[in-house]
Amino acid sequence: MTDLAQPSAARPDVGDMGTGAPLWMLAELTYRCPLQCSYCSNPLDFAAYRDELTTEEWIETMRQARAMGAVQLGFSGGEPLVRRDLETLVQEARQMGFYTNLITSAQGLDETRIEALRDAGLDHIQISLQAGDPEIAAAVAGSPKAHARKLAMARAVKAAGYPMVLNVVLHRHNIDDLDAIIALCDDLGADAVELANCQIYGWAHLNREGLLPSREQLEIAEATTARWRERLAEKGRDMRLLFVVPDYYAERPKACMGGWGSIFLTVAPDGAVLPCHSARMLPMDFPNVRDQPLESIWYDSPEFNRFRGDAWMPSPCRECDERHTDFGGCRCQAYLLTGDPTATDPVCELSPDHHLIEAVRDQAAADHRQAVALTPRNVHESRVFCRE
Amino acid sequence: MNASAEDHIVYRLRPGWRLQWEEAQGRYVLLYPEGMVQLNDSAGAILSHLDGQRDVAALIDALSQQYPEVPADALGHDVREFLTDASQQGWIYHD
Ligand code: SF4
Ligand code: SF4
């Protein structure tokens, strides 16, 4: 035993040994949600999927995922708290050995429910905030009262002994307010804050012109974050700030989900199984846990195998040294921007379609519209996109 | 191995983190909010002995009994080095 581990040496084995097991399952329990965020990543036609998996179907799905080796489980939505059986599902999942994460807008949360979730064995709660300023928050989420509830619940979560992890989705209407946002998180006593620039899928793509910040806004925000990191370090305050740059301003695409069908799967409210929570927009029919065991969906379905490995890749990815690092980028982004899900992600400077990204950036630099011009994510607007 | 002040430190896993044996992976993993560290055998062995009671000296004792073939000096050295690293990474802490 002379090779005692250095933490840095404890890395996952990444071999070319074929398809490994899924390690992460995101359970989107429902598309129902009391809020109407104009950047919501749910499908535009979410209102068409009303037939949610039952409690028993969710338990069976989790059991299958766990048996395959999945160990991280996220409960999200929509708003997962809308499901009255959330506590039961958490308890079952925890008993199976999952590490259970709740990703919530805090609408529907109160002290009693936090207590019940803790008793059920919930490991972690992440609350999203829309802004530091209540008025901007109300305009973005389509609810005037939501902000106050979020703040109260963030405090209650911490009081219940959980680390307080806040997630703030940044876009052009709140990013200039970042200093106040971080100050608020500091005041609340947050342990970690994700400053995640909204990615342009789903409703955010519909609202792209109204949401994407300009490069100047982004640079100021990064500087603000850096200043705060120093300030926090000086006063010995342990609040981690994670800043996520929007893809549109990155030089290389991200390795979305660690590679298609590689470690991550999402189960949508109706039981459709997706390689990531945005993938439903792709022109593909994804398999459903109601028709097929999860194991055969993961290993054998044409949908999950479609973008595994590198045989599917077009030029320039096919000849590129980075193809095993970023896997050619995001399939949803490629499809949204070029109409072809097999294209190189246009975010990449080497992509023949990169000018599409540059054009959007130029537009973002020139645009000055207000938050009120955004299309709210609600059932009424969604019906427009339903193929019924 | 000389006794040091460090010997009496009681390390604990960071609150909310969990060490778990994963049969499917054949190793210990350290689970934390939305993430996981896959541990090699030695890291898993060390962390599995953190019970909130044992101090560093007792931890090294327990590991020496589990791995009698490893020279005590080398083992003590490696365990201390690992614990220092792991606490710098924020996996474990002490009061
Ligand atoms: S992003 Fe907003 S609208 Fe969409 S599910 Fe989350 S809280 Fe609801
Ligand atoms: S060409 Fe393809 S593989 Fe190479 S960096 Fe760009 S997206 Fe990645």
Side-chain angles (χ1 to χ4, degrees), chain A residues 30-42 77-79 104-105 107 128 130 141 150 169 203 377:
Chain A
T30 177
Y31 286 140
R32 289 174 288 154
C33 182
L35 298 186
Q36 314 180 26
C37 305
S38 47
Y39 49 74
C40 183
S41 63
N42 285 165
E79 174 47 65
T104 176
S105 71
Q107 308 309 301
S128 60
Q130 268 80 13
K150 284 166 184 280
V169 176
W203 293 81
R377 172 253 197 236

Side-chain angles (χ1 to χ4, degrees), chain A residues 1-13 23-24 66-72 94 96-103 121 123-124 126 161 163 165 194 238 240, chain B residues 14-18 20-22 24-25 27 29 31-40 42-43 45-46 63 67 69-70 74-75 77-79 81-82 85-86 89 91:
Chain A
M1 198 170 91
T2 47
D3 68 327
L4 275 170
Q6 307 298 314
S8 52
R11 288 269 160 68
D13 293 330
L23 298 177
W24 239 113
R66 182 73 186 120
M68 290 167 70
V71 62
Q72 280 284 348
R94 186 66 174 74
M96 293 176 199
F98 276 112
Y99 191 90
T100 49
N101 305 272
L102 175 64
I103 299 154
D123 291 294
H124 170 61
Q126 180 198 281
V165 180
E194 282 173 21
D238 184 14
R240 275 164 306 128
Chain B
R14 190 180 178 129
W17 289 42
R18 194 158 90 223
Q20 185 163 299
W21 173 259
E22 278 297 287
Q25 302 182 42
R27 66 180 145 212
V29 298
L31 298 166
Y32 59 92
E34 297 173 48
M36 159 167 69
V37 187
Q38 295 169 311
L39 300 166
N40 65 20
S42 347
I46 298 171
L63 285 160
Y67 300 94
E69 70 283 6
V70 183
L75 185 135
H77 171 83
D78 287 354
V79 172
E81 200 168 79
F82 171 80
D85 263 18
Q89 303 259 350
W91 299 359

Side-chain angles (χ1 to χ4, degrees), chain A residues 105-107 127-129 131-132 134 145-157 164 166 184-185 188:
Chain A
S105 71
Q107 308 309 301
I127 295 182
S128 60
L129 297 183
K145 287 176 308 205
H147 191 62
R149 161 117 319 230
K150 284 166 184 280
L151 302 191
M153 285 307 106
R155 290 199 181 89
V157 161
M164 190 198 294
L166 301 175
L184 173 67
C185 297
L188 285 169

Side-chain angles (χ1 to χ4, degrees), chain A residues 188-208:
Chain A
L188 285 169
D191 296 286
V193 185
E194 282 173 21
L195 303 164
N197 272 278
C198 86
Q199 299 295 3
I200 309 293
Y201 313 119
W203 293 81
H205 187 254
L206 188 69
N207 286 306
R208 180 174 71 187

Side-chain angles (χ1 to χ4, degrees), chain A residues 49 51 65 68 99 188 190 203 213 225 247 299 315 331 351:
Chain A
Y49 306 98
D51 191 12
M68 290 167 70
Y99 191 90
L188 285 169
W203 293 81
T225 309
D247 287 358
Y299 290 103
S315 231
R331 295 305 88 224
S351 156

